[in-house]
Amino acid sequence: MKVNHGYVRRLSLTHDQAATLEDQGHAARAMWNLLHAWWMWGGKNRRPSLKQADEAIRQARKDIPWLADLPAQAAQQVLKTYVRAWKNCWEGRASAPEFKSRVRSRMAVDVPQGRDLGVVRLSRHVGQVRIPKVGMVKFRWSGPIPGVGREPGRVTGARLVKDPLGWHIVFRTEVDKPTPAQHRGPAVGVDRGITVALALSDGNDQTHGAWVRPKETARLLRLERKAARQKRAHRRGEPTSNRLRRTYDLIAKARAKVKRRRGDWQHKTTTSLAERYGIVVVEDLRIRNMVRSAKGTVELPGVNVRQKAGLNRSMLNEAHGRTVELLAYKLAERGGQLLKVPAAGTSQTCSACGHRDPASRKGVVFVCTSCRWAGHADSNAALNILNAAGLAVYGRGAEAIGPGREALTTRCAA
């Protein structure tokens, strides 16, 4: 089978190279917005052909000279990405495309042809890549890249992305691998929470420390207060001052480091789970519905709004949806399987006797009101998640069981 992956590397740009990429990024965003305005001119139900859209962007590049800063292949990729976004909307997988804001959107430029990159390794920690209209650019060699040197596979393209920490290049790669054999590891239920990040039904819970360190928290608070003072001095309608912009950039860099720290933990943890377990069972959570605001309306105001807002921030800070996405593809590559079960009742049901009572859960402690079984609430939920999948674990491997039988696990009550 063909396995596609992306490898992110940090670019080392000169001042002129960074300025050129900035121009290309602004041109790509403007191309998207012009294409969206042309597409929506006839209403949402308008469906022009790809040929008509291609002629429109070619004419735009002639009429607006600075759009030529964007390479022609990158402009074509903007068109393909935009059309794909509409197809995802029509098929119900995403919402309709919108205009890209200069402030809130992430700057990105595509290099669709991998053969034009000319990736080489110069030393132990330095590599080099050719970027259209920029030239040869060095990047941080933080690991092997398929298709470069003796590594099997090929580089199919790249994407240049700018985040608060600078410009990065994402190499798109393709590797031919044999179809993996079925993973013979055990099955496990996983409950995603806040107190315990990932509670496993076999007791091998996965936790982490605070994403933000104490000194970083204090510095971020100082920066946010500074931005608030500078914003009060800003008059409506005037451009943002350079000082306020620099403060916003420092805040964004601090938060980007936290996001990168969380992503590193997620990758390492999901890789460990995918290598150890053959079947991973999780709840089918509707996270978007779970983190909705509790403010309510003027006629029906919400209750405990501040508490719910804090809970929403904690849930979003864990990024549980991304954890499941990482688990899904890593399990598939190793012959494993990810199963989703309904989330209703998993935290209120006793894993020992099956009695369901909301009064059994008291914070992080679960005490069954029927059989008096006691344990951690997240561990109890993980056992229920595994039981809901109808799997029995016998040493190695997992097999389906018939209705009316209870899944066996090695988890003991705490």
Side-chain angles (χ1 to χ4, degrees):
M1 65 177 184
K2 295 184 182 296
V3 178
N4 299 309
H5 276 301
Y7 293 83
V8 184
R9 300 293 182 264
R10 186 180 61 191
L11 293 175
S12 299
L13 299 168
T14 64
H15 183 270
D16 294 338
Q17 290 174 340
T20 302
L21 274 184
E22 291 275 346
D23 294 339
Q24 291 188 15
H26 289 305
R29 177 186 53 82
M31 181 69 71
W32 174 284
N33 290 339
L34 290 172
L35 184 61
H36 185 60
W38 173 82
W39 190 288
M40 296 297 294
W41 181 71
K44 290 186 177 181
N45 295 326
R46 182 190 181 197
R47 297 192 181 185
S49 65
L50 190 63
K51 182 179 179 181
Q52 292 174 330
D54 180 63
E55 293 176 353
I57 65 172
R58 288 177 183 271
Q59 186 62 39
R61 286 169 63 86
K62 294 179 181 178
D63 296 339
I64 307 176
W66 55 267
L67 286 180
D69 294 340
L70 186 67
Q73 291 182 348
Q76 292 293 324
Q77 193 64 27
V78 172
L79 171 60
K80 293 179 181 179
T81 304
Y82 183 80
V83 173
R84 190 186 306 119
W86 272 115
K87 290 182 179 180
N88 292 336
C89 174
W90 296 332
E91 296 173 4
R93 294 193 297 268
S95 57
E98 297 180 351
F99 288 103
K100 288 189 176 182
S101 168
R102 180 186 179 93
V103 178
R104 292 184 295 273
S105 62
R106 185 172 63 170
M107 200 174 294
V109 180
D110 276 293
V111 184
Q113 299 296 335
R115 64 175 181 269
D116 299 334
L117 294 172
V119 186
V120 294
R121 185 175 185 177
L122 301 180
S123 64
R124 182 179 180 182
H125 296 299
V126 180
Q128 187 173 259
V129 61
R130 183 187 300 109
I131 298 177
K133 294 193 175 184
V134 177
M136 304 302 294
V137 179
K138 294 181 180 180
F139 64 90
R140 173 76 175 180
W141 189 277
S142 53
I145 302 173
V148 180
R150 297 181 180 179
E151 296 294 328
R154 67 188 185 95
V155 179
T156 60
R159 185 176 178 87
L160 308 171
V161 181
K162 185 183 180 183
D163 65 6
L165 299 178
W167 280 96
H168 297 74
I169 183 169
V170 185
F171 293 103
R172 294 190 292 265
T173 64
E174 181 181 272
V175 181
D176 290 327
K177 292 185 178 180
T179 303
Q182 182 180 359
H183 199 303
R184 300 304 299 171
V188 68
V190 179
D191 178 67
R192 294 167 286 169
I194 298 174
T195 305
V196 180
L198 299 177
L200 274 59
S201 58
D202 62 357
N204 186 26
D205 298 342
Q206 303 294 315
T207 59
H208 58 78
W211 300 128
V212 188
R213 296 164 185 168
K215 290 185 178 180
E216 294 175 338
T217 303
R219 181 172 182 270
L220 188 58
L221 180 60
R222 288 198 302 269
L223 290 173
E224 289 175 344
R225 289 176 175 174
K226 181 179 179 180
R229 291 194 301 268
Q230 293 173 339
K231 190 175 181 179
R232 284 196 296 268
H234 177 261
R235 296 181 180 179
R236 185 183 298 273
E238 293 182 352
T240 304
S241 65
N242 292 332
R243 292 182 179 180
L244 179 57
R245 189 178 295 110
R246 283 195 296 268
T247 305
Y248 282 153
D249 291 341
L250 292 175
I251 294 174
K253 287 181 180 179
R255 292 176 176 172
K257 289 182 179 179
V258 174
K259 181 179 179 181
R260 184 170 294 183
R261 194 175 296 151
R262 179 179 61 222
D264 179 71
W265 180 87
Q266 287 178 317
H267 271 288
K268 292 178 179 178
T269 303
T270 52
T271 299
S272 175
L273 295 178
E275 291 177 350
R276 180 173 182 178
Y277 300 103
I279 299 178
V280 178
V281 189
V282 298
E283 294 174 299
D284 189 12
L285 298 177
R286 298 293 185 266
I287 298 178
R288 180 176 296 181
N289 297 339
M290 296 172 62
V291 296
R292 284 181 177 174
S293 174
K295 289 183 178 180
T297 61
V298 176
E299 295 79 9
L300 297 174
V303 295
N304 298 328
V305 177
R306 292 180 64 86
Q307 293 85 339
K308 183 61 168 61
L311 178 63
N312 291 348
R313 284 194 298 269
S314 299
M315 293 182 63
L316 292 173
N317 194 37
E318 293 295 331
H320 288 314
R322 177 168 171 78
T323 301
V324 172
E325 292 177 359
L326 296 177
L327 264 177
Y329 86 80
K330 291 182 180 182
L331 283 167
E333 290 180 357
R334 293 164 175 80
Q337 187 179 7
L338 179 73
L339 302 179
K340 293 184 178 181
V341 298
T346 55
S347 62
Q348 302 174 357
T349 305
C350 177
S351 60
C353 67
H355 178 69
R356 181 175 178 179
D357 185 2
S360 298
R361 178 165 184 173
K362 299 177 181 179
V364 297
V365 179
F366 186 93
V367 180
C368 181
T369 56
S370 176
C371 70
R372 309 308 299 175
W373 180 90
H376 197 285
D378 293 338
S379 301
N380 176 74
L383 286 166
N384 289 326
I385 292 170
L386 181 62
N387 294 341
L391 300 174
V393 180
Y394 301 101
R396 295 188 63 190
E399 61 185 67
I401 60 176
R405 294 180 60 189
E406 188 176 15
L408 304 177
T409 67
T410 59
R411 179 73 167 178
C412 299

